[in-house]
Amino acid sequence: MVETGPSADWARKQVDLGRVPVAVLGIASSQGIEDVVAFGTDDGRQATVEDHFALFSVTKPITALTVMRQVERGTLSLGESLGAAVPGFGAGRTDTVTLEQLLSHRSGIADPALDAGTPLREALTSAGQAFYAGSLVQYCNIAFEGAAAMAEWADGRTFEDQLLSLAGDTGAGSLTFDAACNPHTVHGTGTAGLDVQAMYRNRHPGAGLFGTAADLLNLGSELLRDSGKAVRPATLAAMRRPRTTEVSHITTRPAPLRHTGLGFQLPANESELLAKGIYGHPGWSGTEWWMFPEQDRCVVFLTNVLDAPDVGVDTNQLFNAVAAS
């Protein structure tokens, strides 16, 4: 195992400077996993490369890949209305919320708290309207419950069964919504007012997955190969196409601005980066999963601190280290 190099040095530095207690850094190519290293100790627990972490919003592109399998099979369309799959949704709304809008944060659904005790499908059905669908961009977790509901409506299997099928097909077999996998404790939840155990119980398709570096690296390697085991090449190309470049954003975190495809995020200011065409997703818990098609690289960074950028974790530094290595 190689424990030196720009990317590994960057991950080690985040632990050494006390920004995060533990970190796992992994690199893969289209040929498979190249390197995984672990650093740090948290309350006596030594980080290892096999550890599960709470992925938070890294869940979103995995959910989107799962749902898009139904689109490429012809059982769903991106223009399909959420109201068709969830008849109680949108009472009083005069607009139509589509699957494309759900996956690109343009649904206009008012987002309930991640740790709310209301069952997700009920929370989706009763959610208010923040704006007319398609007119603005606002990050929305509950929209991915809507996308999951549409996948169930189209296929008949539970959404979790569909996602685990994707995971099994792509070497990501330890992805799970089950907190019994012994993930690392997430720090900062008290300050943020998040009841993380309540969030875990929701098994949220926008934020609830747990996974290992190998899970994300294997899935990322499959996306780089673009062989169709995850989704077909045309489907992946559509998911990487930005859907929010000409639409105003409502955001409480203006930097770094990222545009959204279908489930995937795309850096908006590529002038700060050595690589072009990067796509992937960050998680609130400090997790990162990104593909670099031009460099044939996937990078995974797993840690366990909410709002890691606020304590100095600069992922643009990581992106440039990956691109140059």
Side-chain angles (χ1 to χ4, degrees):
M1 179 177 295
V2 179
E3 295 192 4
T4 60
S7 303
D9 290 345
W10 179 89
R12 184 188 292 107
K13 179 181 177 181
Q14 309 314 305
V15 174
D16 289 347
L17 293 178
R19 292 169 177 164
V20 298
V22 295
V24 176
L25 186 285
I27 301 289
S29 73
S30 59
Q31 302 304 304
I33 296 174
E34 295 187 347
D35 192 24
V36 189
V37 291
F39 306 104
T41 302
D42 190 12
D43 195 25
R45 180 179 179 180
Q46 181 72 40
T48 75
V49 298
E50 293 85 14
D51 290 347
H52 274 83
F53 286 80
L55 299 183
F56 278 66
S57 285
V58 173
T59 304
K60 288 181 172 67
I62 301 172
T63 286
L65 286 164
T66 303
V67 175
M68 290 300 291
R69 285 180 144 195
Q70 298 303 327
V71 173
E72 66 185 16
R73 290 167 183 165
T75 59
L76 271 181
S77 74
L78 287 170
E80 199 92 55
S81 166
L82 174 59
V86 184
F89 171 78
R93 291 186 68 149
T94 59
D95 56 355
T96 297
V97 176
T98 67
L99 177 60
E100 183 202 10
Q101 292 162 349
L102 292 170
L103 294 177
S104 59
H105 299 294
R106 295 182 295 132
S107 68
I109 302 174
D111 206 11
L114 284 169
D115 56 0
T118 307
L120 287 180
R121 199 62 52 89
E122 181 181 336
L124 171 69
T125 303
S126 61
Q129 181 176 4
F131 54 84
Y132 196 90
S135 64
L136 295 167
V137 181
Q138 185 174 43
Y139 200 82
C140 184
N141 292 298
I142 197 66
F144 285 77
E145 172 66 16
M150 295 185 77
E152 292 183 346
W153 174 67
D155 183 87
R157 291 177 295 160
T158 69
F159 174 72
E160 284 195 29
D161 283 348
Q162 294 181 49
L163 187 146
L164 294 178
S165 178
L166 167 74
D169 290 344
T170 56
S174 59
L175 287 174
T176 181
F177 285 100
D178 189 349
C181 64
N182 191 30
H184 279 271
T185 299
V186 177
H187 297 278
T189 57
T191 301
L194 174 69
D195 182 344
V196 73
Q197 295 300 324
M199 190 197 87
Y200 293 165
R201 288 192 293 273
N202 278 338
R203 304 170 84 91
H204 202 306
L209 274 177
F210 305 93
T212 68
D215 290 323
L216 297 177
L217 291 169
N218 283 331
L219 180 51
S221 184
E222 174 53 43
L223 296 178
L224 292 171
R225 282 192 294 275
D226 209 9
S227 69
K229 286 186 179 179
V231 292
R232 300 295 181 184
T235 307
L236 182 58
M239 295 179 72
R240 293 176 53 197
R241 191 160 61 242
R243 312 275 170 155
T244 59
T245 53
E246 304 298 328
V247 189
S248 295
H249 289 64
I250 302 172
T251 179
T252 58
R253 183 182 289 278
L257 177 64
R258 294 189 175 113
H259 291 304
T260 304
L262 297 174
F264 287 113
Q265 290 195 351
L266 319 159
N269 189 3
E270 289 189 333
S271 66
E272 299 177 359
L273 302 174
L274 299 180
K276 293 183 177 180
I278 300 170
Y279 67 99
H281 214 287
W284 189 15
S285 54
T287 52
E288 303 280 348
W289 180 48
W290 298 91
M291 275 55 67
F292 294 63
E294 290 187 354
Q295 288 73 29
D296 190 30
R297 287 290 181 271
C298 166
V299 62
V300 171
F301 177 68
L302 299 179
T303 190
N304 59 334
V305 175
L306 293 188
D307 296 316
D310 292 347
V311 296
V313 178
D314 183 351
T315 52
N316 276 1
Q317 295 176 349
L318 174 62
F319 289 177
N320 289 332
V322 171
S325 60

